[in-house]
Amino acid sequence: MSPLAHVVALPVRAYRLLLSPWIGHGCRFQPTCSVYALEALERRGAVIGTWLTLRRLARCHPWGGSGYDPVPKRNTHDAG
């Protein structure tokens, strides 16, 4: 994980440590949004990982989807 991705991951880690135990485990997706965020940041970096996380959170509403939704793999056309 890049240094910038580590910084971006801090609020996610804080959420998992401080808020998640109080809110409960009612995520409609697998993996959960916080696990998805950390995996996206690790695998895709700070910028794309943040974009993927925000896109995932935008789908988390009563009329959104549910089920298995992994972090997309890199395209063969992506650099790096």
Side-chain angles (χ1 to χ4, degrees):
M1 192 179 295
S2 71
L4 182 57
H6 275 289
V7 171
V8 174
L10 287 175
V12 177
R13 293 184 193 281
Y15 163 79
R16 292 186 72 185
L17 181 66
L18 302 172
L19 293 177
S20 184
W22 296 96
I23 292 174
H25 303 287
C27 191
R28 55 193 311 116
F29 291 107
Q30 280 296 333
T32 64
C33 291
S34 59
V35 171
Y36 182 96
L38 293 174
E39 187 176 331
L41 290 167
E42 182 178 327
R43 290 176 50 191
R44 302 298 296 272
V47 175
I48 295 175
T50 299
W51 168 249
L52 290 171
T53 299
L54 292 174
R55 197 177 76 176
R56 169 75 174 278
L57 290 173
R59 292 192 313 259
C60 192
H61 54 81
W63 301 279
S66 63
Y68 183 63
D69 182 30
V71 174
K73 296 184 189 259
R74 287 185 167 189
N75 292 333
T76 56
H77 302 294
D78 286 349

